[in-house]
Amino acid sequence: MDVRMEIVYHVPKGPQANFTSDGLHASQAILIAEDMLKTKRAKSIAFLDSYNTEWTLKELKEYMIGIQTEPHNVKVYFDGGFDLGTKNSGLGCAIYYDQNGKSFRLRKNVLVHELDTNNEAEYAALHNALLELDLLGVHHLPVKFIGDSQVVINQLIGEWPCLEESLAKWADRIDEKLIQLGIQPQYHLISRKDNREADRLASQALNNIEIISTSEVN
């Protein structure tokens, strides 16, 4: 979870000033706050999450301890491929997360037959990744969703209108699932080259090669 720090800084027998930090990962914010408190010049420190909910240092530390046994620091790479000749779609996702002090990667793909366009396949790949997050137990956390589909990313962040009914239905499904899981999405658009892992998983699905694996990563 990323937070902003709001600090009231007081110089003994001198002026007082208020400061707001840029966004920081909660673990970094805790380290900075504890160091500032040692100076005894930080009159107060509050932490604001992406919903502008205010946390105390004690609350934030308890939260960070509590999530260690659950998947956190989650990043999802997704991609969908569509074969016009067969009308088949390959959906791929690679999910990176931390749990119990270790880092893991889940790779999953699936072949589906009911879609009509490549853009639908891209949306379906993201939705399928959400189903995997549900199975992992990822709830009430910020999650980074990373893909190379300009249509999906720009429509979900509201930069582009979603005029096609079929795509609007997929966008609604995704929003409903995010609300159900309590996930705060952070969408990132990357090049296809940088999304090669998810792209390969989608291509393997189209070639009837099923991938389901979870492994520890360094």
Side-chain angles (χ1 to χ4, degrees):
M1 177 171 68
D2 289 346
V3 296
R4 302 188 318 277
M5 300 173 63
E6 291 199 343
I7 304 155
V8 178
Y9 194 85
H10 178 70
V11 177
K13 298 182 181 180
Q16 176 176 298
N18 297 341
F19 299 96
T20 300
S21 76
D22 294 330
L24 296 163
H25 190 270
S27 59
Q28 296 175 316
I30 289 171
L31 289 175
I32 293 170
E34 289 179 333
D35 187 68
M36 292 191 70
L37 289 171
K38 290 177 184 177
T39 69
K40 298 183 179 180
R41 292 182 178 176
K43 188 174 181 180
S44 68
I45 301 177
F47 307 87
L48 297 176
D49 62 22
S50 58
Y51 289 103
N52 284 325
T53 300
E54 186 172 310
W55 301 65
T56 65
L57 179 58
K58 180 180 178 181
E59 291 170 339
L60 194 59
K61 290 173 72 174
E62 289 176 348
Y63 168 81
M64 293 301 293
I65 292 171
I67 67 171
Q68 291 306 308
T69 59
E70 305 294 332
H72 57 283
N73 294 339
V74 183
K75 293 192 300 183
V76 176
Y77 292 83
F78 69 94
D79 197 26
F82 180 71
D83 188 319
L84 186 60
T86 63
K87 299 292 186 179
N88 290 336
S89 299
L91 317 179
C93 68
I95 301 173
Y96 290 81
Y97 62 96
D98 295 335
Q99 188 172 15
N100 294 319
K102 298 180 180 180
S103 298
F104 298 92
R105 178 186 65 175
L106 182 155
R107 298 165 69 237
K108 175 74 181 292
N109 68 2
V110 62
L111 178 68
V112 296
H113 311 287
E114 66 272 15
L115 307 179
D116 295 316
T117 67
N118 189 74
N119 286 332
E120 278 193 88
E122 294 278 10
Y123 264 109
L126 176 52
H127 187 264
N128 188 64
L130 287 173
L131 300 180
E132 293 300 321
L133 292 181
D134 196 0
L135 292 174
L136 272 176
V138 177
H139 302 127
H140 303 288
L141 289 173
V143 173
K144 294 180 180 178
F145 295 98
I146 306 164
D148 58 44
S149 170
Q150 293 190 50
V151 171
V152 171
I153 299 295
N154 285 320
Q155 287 182 346
L156 289 176
I157 66 176
E159 290 290 331
W160 291 4
C162 192
L163 303 177
E164 295 180 51
E165 184 178 353
S166 59
L167 301 187
K169 287 181 178 178
W170 277 110
D172 289 343
R173 290 190 192 107
I174 288 167
D175 286 341
E176 289 168 6
K177 192 64 178 178
L178 288 168
I179 292 170
Q180 177 195 338
L181 298 178
I183 287 175
Q184 307 155 32
Q186 301 169 359
Y187 296 110
H188 299 271
L189 180 64
I190 59 174
S191 68
R192 185 173 182 180
K193 178 181 177 181
D194 291 333
N195 201 31
R196 62 171 65 93
E197 184 175 26
D199 177 71
R200 178 173 172 78
L201 286 165
S203 296
Q204 287 173 317
L206 284 171
N207 290 318
N208 288 302
I209 301 172
E210 184 181 28
I211 306 292
I212 304 174
S213 70
T214 300
S215 56
E216 187 177 344
V217 296
N218 296 323

